[in-house]
């Protein structure tokens, strides 16, 4: 009984702490119980692991704590950086290795349970793997095609599914029939795919982490990033969600701190639009009850980078003494928006409006491709290196086999 008493005490404190978090956050203007429950859970777990290790006289828990500290330092220094995803995933790898050590050292039931859950997840991924991913992508592509326009940007999950189908056919039916030197050269394909998967996983990790932004209710400006208009003059449902997110924050801040932020509607007039996106967005906000004096227009931009740059000029003119600002966009877009804000010299984090679940895979693929293009030289260098190595390997097999 004494050996499992610490686990029982920890479990009770853990669940009581989470219940207290839920009760506390539900009484706040911005509840987000999941985020705060995650913070409590991780804090409680590290306290438990530290106490557990002190009992056996070791301090290896400091290693994952060090990696977590490096991630936090980098993240809070500048949130919109891809390296933050890499640092967080390195922490997870180190933390997983530490849990294995801790299990063998302390025989903790809590640690054993955590590793069992992780093992089940890995087994499920390995069991279903790429075939299930392909099936999901075809299904998702069919849903997107049915509900959205047939533009190239909305066909990304379909294109990825077709590429993976080709790869599976090649791997299972063609690769074995090819000469060794050619197979050696074509091994560049899975290596390149692995590289881009790692980059995508790091991007997806930091994009998810970026969703947990909690700007304080002390903002002077809220930039709303524009998007295309319906009929050249009406905001689309996607754009309306961005504006609604900004208005919700505007009202919560006004209620909590009695401070009125100004909404900067940012978006120029496209060649097929009757009015600027900024004007249409302002009209929508006025219909929602936002007063005219709380709205500023930035109606020259044509890209997200210009959204940030031109909005910064307007805010600099209105508040030369300094200001605090955030921006609003759809949840899949705010990480890249944060990167553009940094490029424009604007210190602003994003708040994300919800997007239909069926559209998220396609949207994140589009964001991923856009981010790849922002760093294309680096990725081309890696791909070229892989190609050179595989070509050399193919030549060696051709001449010496």
């Amino acid at each position: 009984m004494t050996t499992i008493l610490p686990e029982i005490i920890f479990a009770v404190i853990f669940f009581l702490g989470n219940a207290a978090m839920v009760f506390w956050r539900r009484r706040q203007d911005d509840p987000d119980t999941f985020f705060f429950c995650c913070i409590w859970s991780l804090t409680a777990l590290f306290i438990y692991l530290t106490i557990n290790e002190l009992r056996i006289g070791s301090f290896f828990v400091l290693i994952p704590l060090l990696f977590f500290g490096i991630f936090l330092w980098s993240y809070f220094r500048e949130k919109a950086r891809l390296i933050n995803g890499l640092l967080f995933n390195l922490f997870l790898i180190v933390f997983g290795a530490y849990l294995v050590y801790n299990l063998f050292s302390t025989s903790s039931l809590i640690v054993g349970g955590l590793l069992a859950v992780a093992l089940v997840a890995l087994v499920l991924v390995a069991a279903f793997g790429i075939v299930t991913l392909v099936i999901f992508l075809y299904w998702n592509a069919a849903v997107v095609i049915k509900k959205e326009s047939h533009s190239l940007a909305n066909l990304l999950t379909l294109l990825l599914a077709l590429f993976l189908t080709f790869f599976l056919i090649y791997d299972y039916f063609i690769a074995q029939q090819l000469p060794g030197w050619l197979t050696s050269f074509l091994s560049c394909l899975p290596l390149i795919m692995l590289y881009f998967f790692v980059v995508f996983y790091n991007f997806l990790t930091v994009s998810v982490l970026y969703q947990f932004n909690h700007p304080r209710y002390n903002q002077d400006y809220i930039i709303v990033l524009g998007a295309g208009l319906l009929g050249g003059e009406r905001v689309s449902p996607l754009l309306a969600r961005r504006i609604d997110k900004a208005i919700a924050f505007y009202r919560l801040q006004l209620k909590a701190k009695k401070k009125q932020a100004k909404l900067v509607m940012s978006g120029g007039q496209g060649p097929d639009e009757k009015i600027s996106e900024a004007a249409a967005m302002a009209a929508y906000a006025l219909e929602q009850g936002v007063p005219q004096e709380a709205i500023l227009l930035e109606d020259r931009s044509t890209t997200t980078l210009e959204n940030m740059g031109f909005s910064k000029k307007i805010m600099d003119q209105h508040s030369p003494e300094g200001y605090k600002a955030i921006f609003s966009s759809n949840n899949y877009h705010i990480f890249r928006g944060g990167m553009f804000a940094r490029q424009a010299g604007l210190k602003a984090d994003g708040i994300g409006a919800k997007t239909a679940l069926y559209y998220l895979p396609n949207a994140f693929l589009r964001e991923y491709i856009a981010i790849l293009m922002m760093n294309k030289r680096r990725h081309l260098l890696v791909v070229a290196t892989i190609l050179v190595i595989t070509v050399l390997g193919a030549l060696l097999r051709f001449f010496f086999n």
Side-chain angles (χ1 to χ4, degrees):
M1 178 67 180
T2 56
T3 56
I4 65 170
L5 184 59
E7 278 77 8
I8 295 174
I9 294 174
F10 170 77
V12 171
I13 294 175
F14 178 83
F15 287 112
L16 286 177
N18 275 297
M21 282 288 176
V22 171
F23 178 77
W24 170 52
R25 293 311 302 175
R26 282 183 176 175
R27 301 168 67 89
Q28 307 302 310
D29 295 319
D30 178 23
D32 200 355
T33 54
F34 179 77
F35 172 72
F36 285 92
C37 283
C38 286
I39 292 178
W40 161 253
S41 299
L42 195 60
T43 302
L45 179 61
F46 268 113
I47 292 173
Y48 167 79
L49 292 171
T50 301
I51 294 173
N52 226 17
E53 249 202 285
L54 287 174
R55 292 167 54 199
I56 61 174
S58 62
F59 305 93
F60 288 105
V61 71
L62 294 176
I63 298 175
L65 280 173
L66 173 63
F67 276 83
F68 190 59
I70 293 172
F71 158 72
L72 289 178
W73 173 80
S74 176
Y75 183 75
F76 287 109
R77 183 166 171 255
E78 181 56 65
K79 294 179 182 178
R81 295 197 303 169
L82 285 170
I83 195 173
N84 294 330
L86 173 63
L87 291 173
F88 187 79
N89 287 322
L90 284 175
F91 157 69
L92 291 180
I93 293 170
V94 172
F95 187 49
Y98 166 75
L99 288 178
V100 173
Y101 157 79
N102 188 283
L103 178 63
F104 284 104
S105 300
T106 65
S107 301
S108 167
L109 295 177
I110 300 293
V111 174
L114 283 174
L115 289 174
V117 171
L119 182 61
V120 169
L122 289 174
V123 168
L124 289 174
V125 171
F128 295 100
I130 192 171
V131 175
T132 301
L133 174 61
V134 170
I135 294 171
F136 167 78
L137 289 172
Y138 276 120
W139 170 81
N140 181 257
V143 174
V144 172
I145 290 172
K146 181 180 179 181
K147 295 188 176 185
E148 303 290 337
S149 65
H150 296 176
S151 65
L152 180 62
N154 289 334
L155 298 177
L156 294 178
T157 48
L158 177 60
L159 295 175
L160 179 58
L162 291 171
F163 172 77
L164 291 176
T165 300
F166 166 78
F167 176 77
L168 288 173
I169 293 172
Y170 160 77
D171 191 52
Y172 283 104
F173 302 107
I174 300 176
Q176 293 81 0
Q177 313 302 322
L178 299 176
W181 65 270
L182 185 55
T183 302
S184 180
F185 168 69
L186 292 176
S187 66
C188 67
L189 184 60
L191 289 175
I192 292 172
M193 288 173 60
L194 176 62
Y195 168 73
F196 282 112
F197 170 77
V198 171
V199 175
F200 176 76
Y201 188 69
N202 289 332
F203 155 72
L204 187 62
T205 299
V206 74
S207 293
V208 171
L209 292 171
Y210 198 82
Q211 304 298 314
F212 295 112
N213 281 330
H214 282 271
R216 294 183 179 181
Y217 292 134
N218 61 353
Q219 306 302 319
D220 299 295
Y221 299 96
I222 307 171
I223 304 168
V224 187
L225 302 182
L229 302 178
L230 294 178
E233 58 184 344
R234 292 180 291 109
V235 300
S236 65
L238 180 144
L239 180 53
R241 283 193 285 269
R242 299 182 181 186
I243 305 170
D244 289 339
K245 185 70 176 180
I247 293 174
F249 188 94
Y250 163 86
R251 287 174 175 163
L252 286 171
Q253 175 171 297
L254 195 59
K255 178 182 176 182
K257 301 294 184 180
K258 311 301 180 188
K259 180 176 181 178
Q260 185 184 61
K262 291 188 181 298
L263 275 63
V264 182
M265 302 302 183
S266 179
Q269 182 176 350
D272 58 342
E273 293 174 337
K274 300 175 184 177
I275 59 176
S276 69
E277 294 168 6
M281 294 157 68
Y284 178 88
L286 289 171
E287 291 174 0
Q288 306 306 309
V290 178
Q292 181 70 59
E293 66 269 15
I295 300 174
L296 298 174
L297 298 188
E298 181 288 292
D299 55 7
R300 294 188 296 154
S301 57
T302 58
T303 66
T304 305
L305 181 57
E306 289 182 353
N307 285 149
M308 298 300 183
F310 293 150
S311 296
K312 182 178 184 298
K313 288 182 180 179
I314 290 174
M315 294 184 296
D316 288 344
Q317 290 171 0
H318 281 78
S319 303
E321 72 284 356
Y323 53 86
K324 296 182 182 298
I326 58 173
F327 65 89
S328 172
S329 187
N330 296 88
N331 51 7
Y332 62 83
H333 184 243
I334 56 172
F335 174 72
R336 187 158 63 99
M339 296 179 72
F340 282 127
R342 180 159 56 95
Q343 286 185 23
L346 179 61
K347 187 175 179 58
D349 290 322
I351 52 175
K354 291 183 179 179
T355 305
L357 288 177
Y358 76 86
Y359 194 69
L360 282 178
N362 202 81
F364 272 110
L365 278 176
R366 186 171 62 192
E367 291 297 302
Y368 171 62
I369 292 171
I371 284 177
L372 286 180
M373 297 307 295
M374 292 172 67
N375 300 280
K376 54 182 177 292
R377 289 186 180 179
R378 179 197 311 162
H379 302 306
L380 286 173
L381 179 62
V382 174
V383 170
T385 302
I386 293 173
L387 287 173
V388 168
I389 293 172
T390 52
V391 166
L392 290 176
L395 290 173
L396 288 173
R397 292 196 67 174
F398 181 78
F399 288 108
F400 295 101
N401 278 356

